Amino acid sequence: RLPIPDMTEDRRKELAKLAHQYAEKAKIAVRNVRRDGNDALKADEKKKEISEDDRKRLETEVQKLTDATISEIDAALGSKEKEILTK
C-alpha cells in the first residue's frame, strides 16, 4: 500500500482552475457545433431545400439546445468545483 497524503489548498485551487479550463473547452466545442449547424442550415436554404421560415425555426431550436448543453456544463463544473474545494 502507498500512503497518499491529503491535497493541499494550493493543489485544490490548481485542480479547480483545470476544471474551469476543461469546461471552457467544452463550451467552445458546443459553440463550434452550433456554428456548423447554422452554416449547414444556411447552405440548405441557398440550395432551396428548406424555406427561410424553416431555417429560422431550426436555428432557434439549435440555440435552445446549445443553451441547455452549456447550462449542463456549468452545472457539472459547479458540482465538481464544490467537490474539489470542500474535501
Side-chain angles (χ1 to χ4, degrees):
R1 292 186 178 196
L2 292 174
I4 299 175
D6 291 336
M7 285 194 290
T8 63
E9 188 67 27
D10 290 337
R11 181 66 181 148
R12 289 178 206 269
K13 288 180 182 178
E14 287 176 27
L15 287 175
K17 284 182 184 178
L18 189 61
H20 276 282
Q21 290 174 356
Y22 283 131
E24 189 59 34
K25 287 180 183 179
K27 288 179 189 179
I28 290 170
V30 168
R31 289 192 292 264
N32 287 339
V33 169
R34 177 191 61 195
R35 186 194 64 229
D36 293 343
N38 286 341
D39 290 345
L41 289 173
K42 288 176 185 176
D44 287 346
E45 182 187 9
K46 284 188 183 213
K47 290 189 260 181
K48 305 291 184 193
E49 292 178 3
I50 60 173
S51 67
E52 182 179 353
D53 293 335
D54 287 339
R55 179 187 56 84
K56 287 182 181 181
R57 180 180 50 80
L58 290 171
E59 281 179 349
T60 58
E61 192 173 321
V62 167
Q63 183 61 44
K64 287 178 187 177
L65 291 171
T66 301
D67 293 341
T69 305
I70 287 180
S71 66
E72 288 176 20
I73 292 169
D74 288 337
L77 173 63
S79 67
K80 186 52 73 174
E81 187 176 48
K82 184 177 177 183
E83 179 185 335
I84 290 171
L85 295 176
T86 57
K87 286 188 176 181

